[in-house]
Amino acid sequence: MKKIIVFMLCLCTSQAFSQYYKEYNWAKKPTLHKLSEKEAKESSVGILEKYIVEYKVPTFGNQVQKFETTHTIARVLDEKGIKTHNTVYISMYDVIDIIDIKARTITPDGKITLLNKDNIKEVKNVEEYGDFKIFAIEGAEKGAEIEVLYTLEKEYSAFGRDVLQKSYPIRKVEYNFIYGEMPGRIKAYNAKGEFVEKSYNKKTGKQLVLENIVPMIEEEYATPDANKTYVAFQCFGPGTNVTDSMLWNNVVTNITQGLFPETANTDVASIVETILKEQKTDDYTKAYLVDDYIKKNYTIVKNNNAQLSDIDYILKNKSASELGIIQVYAHFLKAANVEYMPVITSNVYEHKFDSAFFNPGALREFLIYIPKAYNYIAPNRIDYRLSEIPPSILGNTGIFVNNKKQYNFYKITQKDPDYSRIVRNMNISFKEDMEYVQINQEQEYYGHWAMSNRAFLNLAPEQSIKEFEDYLTSSGIEDKVVKKYETKNQEMKQLEYNIPFLVSTSITSESLLEEAGDSYIFQVGKVIGTQSELYQETERINPIHMQYPNRYNYEIIVDVPAAYEVEGLESLVIKKELLNEEGVQKCKFESNYRLEGNKLIITIEEFYKEFEYDISEYEGFREVINAASDFNKAAILMNPKE
């Protein structure tokens, strides 16, 4: 009798703390949800997206269990909406067991179609994202609701991340994080709401409820993927006391193994002596030569072969993993006696690094900072050499590690605000009794412009290189004839800091000149090439993020024929600017002109001192961007003198 009582007490205790997902279910009698007038105009609407992440310590044993439940209801209103929701992909990454999968469709006339589980298929390695369970939704039609509910048991992981914002509007998102007596933390990003504590069958947890989530859309000058609403969480085993500081220290200790050798490999030392022969002894030159040599002689291989992180194997076979190649740089820089600091960060277009909340998924990019040169080596960028920070990283935070394996977090910025700029000088004349226009142009590209141009001309296929000439010889002039096209300083290896990439061109065009009786209309604005436009009619979702600060300076000298005089010069006068609170220009487009005899001299100055602008500054920023496009449409009239 005593054994029965004990058993019943254990059973009651187990039931009192039963798992939340086991009790959660969808409505027994579903009905279509009423849509607002605005929702009814969408292709699809997420009525509900509910997530349950539940950690549990089993009754027997101490291996933490993890269960994930996803419940979605979507209304599909046209063919695009149906296509978005009628195939369900469930990742099998780290899945131990499928607890349950069910789905149903409710049509406008009330017909309910349930998922036939025999139709669930497993597909291996879908687009390199691993294995998936896939099934098609049956009975989907315009106006129907598609409902999916599934629970997975997954391998225990202390960390996780879920993206909540999608390409369609969502009426309600609910995220439930249940960690019980274990130490758990969760944080919402880019969300108009915060997690609050909640009890789930007497188990501790936190809940986030968000309403009316707007769809994330692709916008120019933005980082939409990194800006999506998402959550990141941590949950450790019972009785543990893990802090972010401990986690960062652990990462630094593990990742920097082999990155600070006491002595350089002897073979490497011999190579370094050769490549540095008769060169300057400053850290910029030495680091540049090391970077150039490694990128010409080593290959980064993306697979899980452990040998690709073994320095002896790498030096012998000239192949390395993304972390292994850092060891190569470490030995070369050590041999060259160059001070360096490994940097761990993220691609700013994918993830905004948060030093206040440890998330291993953010540790995706490796850099090497050369303090005395104030420049960076990007080991995985074959198109880059030692320079200012690549645009894909600029503005993110990174972990900078010194040779004592001490670390600090810093925002990764650009040392020289005028690093990237374009200078164009044009001379325009009219030939063969006003039959065509001739444009002689000298261009100077600095910074990232120079880097990307060089990389394209050295690494792109021949056909693409030929097409690239259009960009360098006034894009947007369809009938142009290229009479001259020369480039200088186009080699990837440029030891002088920020030496410009030079282009000298001469083109002719008939279409720029249009007869108007005895007069001529000259489409002078087109000579600056095709310009970006921001004529977005929908409400802006993302703050502005440019690739990098940049500047443009043009001087256009038009030789007006002696027999003509010009009108319509007011179209050449444009000024748009965005000022900060102190009245200082943050970005500007300004064009103007002056007449000196028969020469019309047009000057253009356009600059963006910052690469990040708040969404509240969007209208001012857009006016500056569009000003360049407006100038591209400018034309002047040349009339015969009386």
Side-chain angles (χ1 to χ4, degrees), residues 516-578:
D518 293 333
S519 303
Y520 290 89
I521 299 171
F522 174 39
Q523 306 287 342
V524 63
K526 287 188 176 181
V527 302
I528 68 170
T530 306
Q531 301 294 306
S532 298
E533 296 181 351
L534 276 179
Y535 294 110
Q536 180 176 327
E537 296 180 1
T538 57
E539 184 178 354
R540 179 78 179 188
I541 300 297
N542 294 284
I544 298 99
H545 183 103
M546 303 189 76
Q547 286 189 304
Y548 42 81
N550 58 80
R551 175 184 294 273
Y552 310 83
N553 290 98
Y554 300 168
E555 183 178 77
I556 304 166
I557 300 176
V558 182
D559 290 321
V560 181
Y564 290 86
E565 57 187 8
V566 289
E567 290 184 11
L569 298 180
E570 63 276 4
S571 67
L572 305 178
V573 182
I574 301 174
K575 183 176 181 180
K576 297 293 181 181
E577 60 185 356
L578 176 63

Side-chain angles (χ1 to χ4, degrees), residues 7 37 115 344 424 426 433 450 458 465 476 487 514 527 530 579 617:
F7 174 76
E37 185 177 337
L115 169 68
I344 313 163
R424 286 179 178 160
M426 301 182 202
D433 199 21
N458 283 276
I465 292 173
T487 62
E514 180 183 344
V527 302
T530 306
L579 308 178
E617 299 175 303

